[in-house]
Amino acid sequence: MIHWALATLILAFALVAAWWLSLKPSNDRDWADEVSRTLRGRVQGSLVLLRDIRDFDWRGNTDYTARWHDSVYDLETLQSVDMALSYWMGPAIAHTLVSFGFSDGRHLVFSVEIRRERDEAFSTLGGFLRQFELAIVAAEERDILHVRAGPRKEQVFLYPVRMPAPALRALFLSYVERANQLAQKPRFYHTLTANCTTLVYDMVRPLVPGLPLDYRLILSGYLPEYLYSHGGLDTHLPLDVLRAQADITQRAAQSGTAAAFSQRIRTPASAKRTVPPS
């Protein structure tokens, strides 16, 4: 009797495993509007043409005007990179975004996200079970930072990251390469191994030799501590001071989709800053 029960259990497990392995990622589904298009890029010398950059006008979390555009970026004018962290469920978990700044004042944000279907909602468990495809979104700051700080009521921090110019350009190109790969061959999002932080680490690791694996790559809310300890942030100031300076929540929420959004969120405000998540 015990043998039959064990055999039945093994068979059931094998059937579930076979079903799970049979799931294939796709670029052809009824996607939610904000991930409905696939980013693609073409590199010609120092110029990068990106297609389908997101620039939504968000009035609420479900009230928006969808806009997409193409644009050309000159890597010779790339001069800064910022790490944005958006907290929605306590201090340990944050969504990681990377914003590149150019000498003409433009800022472009790359975000590794789930590619949610129209009737789906994010689920941590679903991220383990091949429920979601993976997406790389390129967006204007006035879209992707505003919607998180404003309509979604998340707490958003923006940290200037120290990175040599060659590594800065290589990281930008790595995002473009990964986006092109996903456009040709979709893959699944995974809560631990293919998420908004681990993919960034995979791209940065070849550019910064010796950058170690760390639990804070999973508990991404603690990424500032990780970067600070490895010289990625300005260590002339205490981390608590950097964290207070990085809190752009109020400015990003209030600036809406103004053309000067990027300048406004980087202008120190006299208003009282919110405390970091705790």
Side-chain angles (χ1 to χ4, degrees):
M1 191 66 170
I2 294 178
H3 294 300
W4 279 108
L6 181 59
T8 301
L9 182 62
I10 292 173
L11 178 60
F13 177 81
L15 290 173
V16 170
W19 165 80
W20 185 77
L21 291 172
S22 72
L23 298 176
K24 303 297 181 184
S26 173
N27 279 330
D28 185 19
R29 304 193 195 279
D30 183 19
W31 304 113
D33 289 339
E34 66 266 26
V35 289
S36 61
R37 299 197 185 187
T38 303
L39 177 69
R40 290 149 294 138
R42 186 172 75 246
V43 181
Q44 295 181 323
S46 68
L47 301 181
V48 181
L49 169 63
L50 293 180
R51 298 192 180 277
D52 290 325
I53 298 166
R54 205 181 77 192
D55 188 15
F56 280 29
D57 182 0
W58 296 91
R59 295 173 293 276
N61 196 32
T62 59
D63 180 16
Y64 51 81
T65 299
R67 291 195 301 256
W68 303 84
H69 66 82
D70 304 339
S71 194
V72 175
Y73 297 88
D74 187 350
L75 295 180
E76 294 296 329
T77 68
L78 180 58
Q79 61 181 20
S80 67
V81 62
D82 299 311
M83 177 186 70
L85 291 175
S86 188
Y87 294 80
W88 78 95
M89 58 177 299
I93 303 299
H95 182 69
T96 306
L97 310 94
V98 176
S99 181
F100 292 90
F102 294 81
S103 60
D104 60 4
R106 290 188 297 168
H107 292 265
L108 183 71
V109 182
F110 286 98
S111 177
V112 177
E113 304 193 358
I114 64 166
R115 197 171 190 193
R116 181 175 62 85
E117 294 181 54
R118 193 172 300 276
D119 60 349
E120 286 182 323
F122 176 73
S123 160
T124 301
L125 179 60
F128 285 102
L129 300 177
R130 297 190 174 190
Q131 181 178 346
F132 309 110
E133 276 82 0
L134 185 71
I136 292 180
V137 174
E140 302 290 347
E141 287 188 332
R142 64 185 176 223
D143 168 339
I144 203 163
L145 297 185
H146 167 68
V147 69
R148 290 182 172 274
R152 296 180 185 172
K153 308 298 182 185
E154 298 177 10
Q155 194 169 9
V156 181
F157 293 77
L158 190 67
Y159 294 89
V161 176
R162 301 167 64 183
M163 182 175 287
L168 190 61
R169 291 191 288 269
L171 180 58
F172 189 97
L173 290 173
S174 186
Y175 269 108
V176 176
E177 180 183 5
R178 294 294 180 100
N180 285 337
Q181 289 172 355
L182 287 177
Q184 293 295 320
K185 186 178 181 180
R187 61 179 293 191
F188 285 115
Y189 175 94
H190 192 279
T191 300
L192 290 181
T193 61
N195 60 43
C196 65
T197 305
T198 56
L199 259 69
V200 177
Y201 173 75
D202 287 344
M203 289 185 282
V204 171
R205 184 173 55 179
L207 310 177
V208 184
L211 196 63
L213 283 169
D214 192 288
Y215 74 93
R216 290 168 291 193
L217 297 170
I218 303 300
L219 301 180
S220 50
Y222 302 126
L223 272 176
E225 287 85 347
Y226 176 79
L227 289 177
Y228 191 84
S229 65
H230 295 290
L233 302 181
D234 183 2
T235 55
H236 292 93
L237 294 173
L239 182 56
D240 286 346
V241 174
L242 292 180
R243 185 178 285 112
Q245 293 177 349
D247 187 355
I248 64 166
T249 307
Q250 185 176 10
R251 281 169 280 166
Q254 293 177 347
S255 296
T257 57
F261 179 90
S262 294
Q263 290 71 35
R264 292 183 182 182
I265 63 173
R266 288 172 173 81
T267 301
S270 59
K272 181 179 179 181
R273 297 181 185 276
T274 54
V275 297
S278 59

